[in-house]
């Protein structure tokens, strides 16, 4: 089923604001968290280790604004979680025209971080053949877990240098959407140890760092690795005999 609201984040990660009409408001009588569905949105709902966006919704008719503390997928649609109010203050109404604004600094930091993690994954896969077993991020920092039994401190330093070389090389980052059969014909498209893609999905979104990495991925990324800057490996940990964790942060 096609979602009622246009989900702009998947095709244009750089659009930070858009005008839209409110389609539906769930007043959150059960959960206490009002949910708003819009005819279009720039918010990313979270997934794949990337947290959801934050920002505001502003009604253009009177300037009334609401804080969006997160977005999430509900039945395939992106809904906006408004900061709940103890006094039952006014909510948007269906039909209202609003301006949707991301916390852009946070979103851009997440884009840079996510691309840095893909570069890390690309280097580790290309040069050491290690699969990803998990990952997570926050603005400016993240971690990836690998099936990488022979990881050592010297090797981690080598990986950091290689990743920074790749980021500085100015590799283009491309977004594509492919039919399922075509996508799964690409060797090593699924870089995680376990394939997390639902069986029924007909199209696969891919992120390609040209010349380095190609993966199925739903998150937001910068358009070129030179926008990431440099990374610093802040630590590595053993999560068992085989599973190892590398933590990174953006430098600057």
């Amino acid at each position: 089923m096609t979602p009622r609201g246009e989900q702009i984040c998947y095709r244009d990660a750089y659009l930070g604001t858009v005008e839209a009409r409110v389609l539906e408001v769930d007043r959150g009588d059960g959960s206490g968290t009002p949910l708003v569905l819009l005819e279009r949105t720039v918010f990313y709902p979270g997934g794949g280790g990337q947290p959801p966006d934050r920002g505001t919704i502003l009604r253009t008719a009177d300037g009334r604004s609401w804080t969006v503390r997160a977005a999430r997928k509900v039945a395939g649609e992106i809904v906006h979680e408004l900061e709940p109010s103890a006094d039952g203050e006014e909510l948007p109404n269906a039909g209202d025209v609003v301006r949707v604004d991301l916390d852009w600094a946070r979103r851009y930091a997440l884009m840079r971080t996510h691309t840095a993690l893909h570069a890390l994954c690309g280097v580790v896969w290309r040069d050491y053949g290690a699969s990803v077993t998990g990952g997570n991020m926050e603005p400016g920092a993240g971690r990836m877990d690998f099936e990488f039994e022979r990881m050592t401190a010297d090797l981690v330093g080598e990986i950091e240098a290689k990743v920074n070389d790749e980021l500085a090389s100015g590799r283009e980052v491309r977004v594509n959407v492919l039919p399922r059969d075509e996508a799964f014909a690409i060797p090593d498209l699924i870089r995680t140890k376990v394939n997390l893609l639902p069986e029924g999905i007909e199209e696969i979104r891919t992120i390609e760092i040209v010349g380095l990495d190609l993966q199925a991925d739903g998150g937001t990324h910068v358009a070129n690795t030179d926008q990431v800057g440099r990374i610093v490996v802040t630590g590595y940990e053993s999560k068992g005999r085989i599973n190892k964790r590398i933590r990174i942060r953006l430098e600057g």
Side-chain angles (χ1 to χ4, degrees):
M1 181 181 297
T2 302
R4 286 176 289 168
E6 182 185 358
Q7 301 177 1
I8 297 170
C9 62
Y10 298 115
R11 61 173 174 80
D12 184 356
Y14 284 86
L15 192 60
T17 184
V18 72
E19 188 175 272
R21 192 174 298 276
V22 176
L23 295 180
E24 188 176 318
V25 179
D26 180 336
R27 308 191 79 80
D29 295 335
S31 66
T33 303
L35 302 177
V36 177
L37 175 65
L38 304 173
E39 66 176 344
R40 66 180 63 88
T41 186
V42 290
F43 275 72
Y44 177 67
Q50 180 177 336
D53 287 323
R54 300 172 186 167
T56 59
I57 292 174
L58 182 143
R59 186 162 55 201
T60 57
D62 59 5
R64 177 73 172 84
S65 66
W66 295 268
T67 298
V68 180
R69 68 178 186 183
R72 57 184 164 97
K73 281 277 186 83
V74 175
E77 297 178 322
I78 296 176
V79 297
H80 306 74
E81 298 183 6
L82 302 187
E83 197 68 54
S85 170
D87 59 5
E89 65 183 357
E90 179 188 4
L91 294 175
N93 297 303
D96 284 350
V97 175
V98 297
R99 192 183 75 219
V100 187
D101 291 303
L102 294 179
D103 178 342
W104 174 249
R106 181 175 181 276
R107 155 68 82 83
Y108 189 57
L110 285 166
M111 289 164 59
R112 294 172 60 219
T113 305
H114 204 160
T115 301
L117 289 170
H118 275 233
L120 170 63
C121 181
V123 165
V124 170
W125 176 257
R126 180 194 67 192
D127 295 348
Y128 310 98
S131 299
V132 175
T133 57
N136 212 337
M137 74 191 81
E138 59 188 59
R143 55 93 173 166
M144 295 205 83
D145 298 345
F146 298 95
E147 192 176 70
F148 200 167
E149 186 173 6
R150 61 192 179 92
M151 186 184 292
T152 63
D154 288 343
L155 203 56
V156 169
E158 180 180 291
I159 290 168
E160 178 186 270
K162 288 181 175 182
V163 171
N164 280 321
D165 285 346
E166 293 295 344
L167 294 173
S169 69
R171 293 189 181 276
E172 182 185 358
V173 182
R174 296 176 181 169
V175 180
N176 286 296
V177 178
L178 303 175
R180 184 183 183 91
D181 291 346
E182 183 180 338
F184 278 97
I186 300 171
D188 306 317
L189 181 72
I190 308 302
R191 202 61 56 75
T192 51
K193 187 67 176 175
V194 178
N195 183 354
L196 301 176
L197 293 175
E199 283 294 328
I201 193 168
E202 296 180 357
E203 292 183 323
I204 309 296
R205 184 175 183 267
T206 65
I207 299 295
E208 180 182 10
I209 301 178
V210 177
L212 175 64
D213 188 60
L214 175 60
Q215 294 186 52
D217 181 82
T220 61
H221 291 264
V222 292
N224 194 291
T225 59
D226 61 12
Q227 295 179 33
V228 175
R230 294 180 57 82
I231 62 123
V232 176
V233 173
T234 57
Y236 77 98
E237 308 160 29
S238 177
K239 308 304 288 185
R241 183 178 64 84
I242 294 177
N243 286 316
K244 312 297 178 183
R245 176 170 294 175
I246 298 177
R247 298 184 181 274
I248 67 167
R249 64 171 170 81
L250 301 184
E251 193 174 61

